[in-house]
């Protein structure tokens, strides 16, 4: 790539200093191809009922716990394969275990929810096993595709995941000290924005031909599809659980009588993408709802952040 580059340094928690190159991005950069190639499936994942309920703050605690179990098995598999391939030339530049790995944090969350014997209580669901099997297959047979799985999970955790943390903490009245939500806490990343820039820069510097880049996009699409399978499985389980819904959110499209223009998330996404004419619309949409009158400031920042992740 012949674009001009400006270098600066980013220090991560393990004490190493990395040169972060701010590139003039090309449509052929891996990060750009992944963002464009997964846009449609990303929208589908975001519009599953499980995710929409989560974003509105309507959370069944038992389903949240089962979701954490699914994440535990998924990240355990992914991080096992990352460790196996940490020296592989197509993954080594993306190896940030101290900053990114989630397995131990998820284990602490599960201990909080299920008690000290949590490992004898939880099990891997069929949809999660399908996801796990694919991750192991990739790690053992075609390690470059681990880039797609790491990108899909970790970049989302550092962006929209931070919104979900606030929603879950409020809905389930979890301790402000973070118990039960350590998965969302990246103690060794002091600036999520800078780290994501560094990570994308490292991805773009991988020496990959166009055919491999296209395969990475295809694998990232599969990763989103695996996540949707897990969401749909949780939705089916939710139909069998007699449990009060913990509601601490705002209405989304369905609760607005089908009028998407009244949806605060839609308005926030429009504002984040440059449509400032909709800022007033966002305010009015939220303030029509009693809960929104109290939580407006928090939700505007959170939803705008989620939108920024969506558009990355």
């Amino acid at each position: 790539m012949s674009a001009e580059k400006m270098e600066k340094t980013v220090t991560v928690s393990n004490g190493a200093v990395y040169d972060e190159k701010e590139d003039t991005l090309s449509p052929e950069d891996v990060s750009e191809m992944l963002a464009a190639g997964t846009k449609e499936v990303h929208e589908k994942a975001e519009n599953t009922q499980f995710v929409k309920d989560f974003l509105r703050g309507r959370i069944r605690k038992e389903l949240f716990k089962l979701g954490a179990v699914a994440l535990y098995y998924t990240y355990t598999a992914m991080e096992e394969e990352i460790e196996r391939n940490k020296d592989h030339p197509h993954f080594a530049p993306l190896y940030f275990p101290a900053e990114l790995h989630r397995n131990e944090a998820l284990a602490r969350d599960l201990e909080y929810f299920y008690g000290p014997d949590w490992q004898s209580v939880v099990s891997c669901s069929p949809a999660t096993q399908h996801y796990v099997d694919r991750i192991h297959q990739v790690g053992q047979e075609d390690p470059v595709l681990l880039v797609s799985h790491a990108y899909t999970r970790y970049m989302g955790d550092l962006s929209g995941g931070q919104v979900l943390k606030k929603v879950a903490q409020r809905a389930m009245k979890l301790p402000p000290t973070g118990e039960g939500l350590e998965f969302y806490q990246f103690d060794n990343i002091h600036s999520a924005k800078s780290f994501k820039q560094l990570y994308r820069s490292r991805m773009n510097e991988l020496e990959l031909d166009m055919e491999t880049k296209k395969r990475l996009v295809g694998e990232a699409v599969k990763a989103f599809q695996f996540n949707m399978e897990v969401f749909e499985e949780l939705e089916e389980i939710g139909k069998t659980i007699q449990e009060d819904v913990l509601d601490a959110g705002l209405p989304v499209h369905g609760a607005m009588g089908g009028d998407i223009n009244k949806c605060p998330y839609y308005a926030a996404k429009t504002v984040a993408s440059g449509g400032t004419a909709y800022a007033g619309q966002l305010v009015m949409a939220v303030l029509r709802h009693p809960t929104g009158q109290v939580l407006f400031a928090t939700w505007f920042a959170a939803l705008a952040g989620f939108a920024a992740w969506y558009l990355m």
Side-chain angles (χ1 to χ4, degrees):
M1 186 171 62
S2 60
E4 295 181 357
K5 299 178 180 179
M6 178 178 66
E7 294 189 5
K8 64 181 181 179
T9 59
V10 174
T11 303
V12 292
S13 65
N14 58 14
V17 178
Y18 297 89
D19 288 330
E20 178 185 346
K21 299 178 180 179
E22 291 188 345
D23 297 344
T24 302
L25 295 174
S26 161
E28 295 184 358
D29 283 337
V30 174
S31 66
E32 295 301 287
M33 290 181 65
L34 285 170
T38 59
K39 182 177 180 181
E40 182 178 350
V41 71
H42 195 161
E43 288 182 351
K44 290 180 180 179
E46 181 224 12
N47 281 291
T48 58
Q49 192 61 48
F50 179 80
V51 175
K52 288 195 293 186
D53 284 345
F54 200 138
L55 284 171
R56 68 160 62 116
R58 292 180 58 79
I59 298 174
R60 292 175 182 265
K61 189 172 184 179
E62 192 59 35
L63 287 189
F64 183 86
K65 291 163 58 177
L66 292 174
V69 172
L71 289 172
Y72 172 77
Y73 284 106
T74 300
Y75 280 87
T76 297
M78 188 168 70
E79 289 162 10
E80 284 176 358
E81 296 306 328
I82 286 174
E83 287 297 323
R84 185 199 306 273
N85 293 283
K86 63 184 179 181
D87 297 320
H88 192 285
H90 289 152
F91 194 86
L94 303 178
Y95 181 63
F96 291 100
E99 289 75 26
L100 293 176
H101 284 194
R102 301 286 84 201
N103 172 273
E104 292 182 4
L106 281 161
R108 291 192 293 272
D109 286 342
L110 294 181
E111 183 174 2
Y112 174 81
F113 285 120
Y114 290 100
D117 297 326
W118 64 271
Q119 289 179 303
S120 65
V121 176
V122 305
S123 61
C124 189
S125 72
T128 304
Q129 189 64 55
H130 189 201
Y131 195 177
V132 163
D133 290 344
R134 177 58 182 175
I135 291 171
H136 283 307
Q137 180 184 7
V138 161
Q140 296 170 31
E141 299 176 5
D142 201 357
V144 68
L145 297 183
L146 280 176
V147 173
S148 301
H149 290 278
Y151 165 84
T152 301
R153 291 295 341 168
Y154 291 130
M155 293 299 97
D157 299 335
L158 286 170
S159 303
Q162 301 308 297
V163 178
L164 302 181
K165 174 185 177 182
K166 293 181 175 64
V167 176
Q169 190 169 50
R170 184 186 308 119
M172 295 186 291
K173 297 180 175 59
L174 294 174
T177 46
E179 287 90 338
L181 296 170
E182 292 193 43
F183 166 70
Y184 300 102
Q185 183 65 38
F186 291 81
D187 292 330
N188 293 327
I189 295 179
H190 304 298
S191 169
K193 179 180 179 181
S194 294
F195 187 87
K196 287 186 293 182
Q197 289 173 344
L198 169 62
Y199 198 89
R200 286 193 287 263
S201 177
R202 289 293 188 90
M203 289 174 58
N204 294 336
E205 291 171 359
L206 295 173
E207 295 184 4
L208 306 170
D209 58 33
M210 183 52 66
E211 181 59 32
T212 301
K213 292 178 182 179
K214 290 179 180 178
R215 291 200 302 119
L216 287 176
V217 173
E219 190 67 23
V221 170
K222 289 181 181 178
F224 274 104
Q225 291 170 340
F226 286 128
N227 278 284
M228 284 191 287
E229 288 181 15
V230 174
F231 296 154
E232 289 164 1
E233 183 181 63
L234 289 170
E235 289 171 21
E236 289 302 309
I237 293 172
K239 295 175 182 178
T240 68
I241 296 176
Q242 298 297 320
E243 179 186 22
D244 291 337
V245 176
L246 303 167
D247 192 346
L250 298 174
V252 292
H253 308 317
M256 293 294 186
D259 185 355
I260 193 172
N261 293 321
K262 295 179 182 179
C263 174
Y265 168 68
Y266 172 80
K269 186 165 71 173
T270 304
V271 171
S273 62
T276 54
Y278 285 85
Q281 177 184 357
L282 172 65
V283 176
M284 294 305 296
V286 179
L287 291 181
R288 287 191 188 100
H289 192 272
T291 307
Q293 295 169 7
V294 179
L295 301 175
F296 169 75
T298 301
W299 270 89
F300 177 79
L303 291 172
F306 186 84
W309 168 58
Y310 177 84
L311 296 165
M312 74 178 182

